[in-house]
Amino acid sequence: TGNTGFLAFQGQDNIILKVIEILCSSFCLVAVPLFFMCSGVLLLSKAESISGLYKKRVVKYLTVILVFTLGYYVSLSLYGHAQMSLWWILNTLYSTTTFSFSGSYWFLYSYVAFLIMLPIFRIIAKHITREIMIYICTLYFVFGGMLPLLEYTFGFGNIALAIPFVTNPAFFYPLVGFYIEENDISYFRNKKIMFAAMIMTAISFVSSTVISLLSLRQDQFINEYLTIFEGFIVIFVFILGRDAFKKVKLTSKIKKVIQQISSCTFGIYLIHGFVFTFMIRTDTIYTGIGYVDSWLMVFFVFLIGLLVTYILRKIPIIRCLF
């Protein structure tokens, strides 16, 4: 739903609505980093061979990318919005951001990169000390926040300097998530550090909102700047959610409902673009849609995706993909 927050942008002139949209989008964009943090917790502690990793994980996700991306192109062609061509398909399969909702699959490509690097990450994760974690977060503060701000301020264009373990979500968040789960983080819970974290979270929201509004006013929205200092929000939400579910006692029925919905989220992600495609015209998706309409659309797309995925999960052959 992160990018869906922009459905109402171009049709709205109200500055308050635009601010609300940016804030909502900034918060929604923590979803993928949170997934990477949870993936780090679950996968970095496992012991498996490289061949087992490829057979069980890498090949599965490469197959998902191929099947569902091709499915998008076929559906769009049949729906009358595009013409099929082999070169077009191969080009967009490789770049994943050049056409329609297939661009949302960038996350799968990034996740495959994480899986390929797992054997190396597991070695690194086991040797991360508190000092190294502080160093990593400091680098993130500089290259994931201050440098982009300076680049935007002085008109240097998009974010130029990338440091893999800091500016790449597939590398940074799994390591941080694993460290938080496997180590005593009481050292970071003192008042000064918690206050600094709250200040950084506020700075993240303010800076991303201001820069996004300025870029929108210039008719050139730069998505990278929407996630300035995003890591501080993600870490805060991760710790808050983890601690909350340790303290809150849920009934067995509520747990079952949460488990059923969570087991369908990957399927919803895979098919949500199909639902969008058939709900509205692809060439007008970002125009003429109001604020309330965009959120209603997200709600119904989620419900339809949930229902379809729940049914498909009953089929043994398809269930392994979801």
Side-chain angles (χ1 to χ4, degrees):
T1 59
N3 289 334
T4 310
F6 290 105
L7 285 174
F9 261 157
Q10 296 188 15
Q12 298 288 346
D13 294 323
N14 192 316
I15 188 67
I16 296 178
L17 286 181
K18 287 186 176 181
V19 170
I20 294 174
E21 289 287 354
I22 293 173
L23 290 176
C24 289
S25 298
S26 296
F27 192 77
C28 288
L29 287 174
V30 306
V32 170
L34 284 174
F35 176 85
F36 277 124
M37 292 187 79
C38 293
S39 297
V41 172
L42 297 172
L43 297 180
L44 288 177
S45 59
K46 290 183 178 293
E48 60 183 342
S49 64
I50 294 178
S51 61
L53 170 68
Y54 272 79
K55 291 177 182 178
K56 185 179 180 181
R57 306 186 193 281
V58 176
V59 172
K60 171 186 175 180
Y61 284 97
L62 288 176
T63 302
V64 167
I65 290 173
L66 178 63
V67 170
F68 281 88
T69 305
L70 287 176
Y72 269 128
Y73 300 144
V74 172
S75 66
L76 289 170
S77 178
L78 295 175
Y79 196 55
H81 292 297
Q83 294 182 350
M84 300 291 291
S85 75
L86 179 61
W87 174 249
W88 174 51
I89 292 174
L90 291 176
N91 183 47
T92 48
L93 268 174
Y94 186 79
S95 65
T96 191
T97 58
T98 57
F99 184 76
S100 186
F101 287 102
S102 62
S104 66
Y105 284 172
W106 71 266
F107 157 64
L108 287 179
Y109 288 73
S110 189
Y111 187 62
V112 168
F114 163 68
L115 293 177
I116 292 174
M117 291 292 290
L118 259 180
I120 300 173
F121 284 163
R122 284 168 176 157
I123 297 174
I124 296 173
K126 292 178 181 179
H127 294 87
I128 291 183
T129 62
R130 186 174 69 187
E131 181 182 10
I132 293 298
M133 182 50 58
I134 293 174
Y135 179 64
I136 290 175
C137 290
T138 302
L139 290 178
Y140 175 81
F141 171 77
V142 174
F143 296 99
M146 293 306 301
L147 183 60
L149 279 177
L150 292 173
E151 288 175 332
Y152 183 85
T153 301
F154 292 102
F156 292 153
N158 293 339
I159 299 172
L161 187 56
I163 299 180
F165 288 101
V166 176
T167 57
N168 190 317
F171 299 164
F172 175 73
Y173 292 110
L175 291 175
V176 174
F178 177 81
Y179 179 86
I180 292 174
E181 186 66 21
E182 296 293 324
N183 295 273
D184 180 12
I185 60 171
S186 58
Y187 169 81
F188 297 99
R189 293 183 183 273
N190 66 69
K191 293 182 179 180
K192 290 183 179 179
I193 294 180
M194 293 301 293
F195 179 74
M198 292 177 63
I199 293 298
M200 289 309 306
T201 301
I203 290 175
S204 175
F205 277 120
V206 172
S207 58
S208 62
T209 300
V210 171
I211 292 181
S212 297
L213 286 172
L214 291 174
S215 59
L216 280 170
R217 181 173 294 180
Q218 299 168 4
D219 295 326
Q220 186 181 7
F221 179 74
I222 305 174
N223 189 62
E224 289 89 342
Y225 293 105
L226 187 62
T227 58
I228 290 177
F229 297 117
E230 176 191 53
F232 295 98
I233 301 175
V234 175
I235 294 172
F236 177 79
V237 173
F238 180 82
I239 295 176
L240 183 66
R242 189 191 67 157
D243 291 352
F245 276 97
K246 285 182 178 180
K247 296 178 180 180
V248 176
K249 301 297 182 181
L250 301 176
T251 64
S252 58
K253 290 184 179 180
I254 295 178
K255 287 182 179 180
K256 187 174 181 179
V257 171
I258 293 175
Q259 289 172 349
Q260 288 293 329
I261 294 176
S262 63
S263 67
C264 294
T265 52
F266 185 53
I268 296 171
Y269 163 72
L270 290 175
I271 67 176
H272 79 280
F274 290 98
V275 181
F276 267 119
T277 299
F278 289 103
M279 285 184 67
I280 54 178
R281 290 183 58 83
T282 305
D283 57 351
T284 60
I285 185 168
Y286 291 111
T287 59
I289 300 177
Y291 179 77
V292 176
D293 295 336
S294 65
W295 282 103
L296 287 174
M297 187 176 299
V298 171
F299 176 73
F300 283 111
V301 167
F302 178 82
L303 287 183
I304 295 171
L306 177 62
L307 177 61
V308 172
T309 304
Y310 182 80
I311 295 173
L312 290 175
R313 280 178 56 82
K314 300 298 182 181
I315 305 174
I317 298 178
I318 300 179
R319 182 173 183 173
C320 63
L321 293 176
F322 296 101

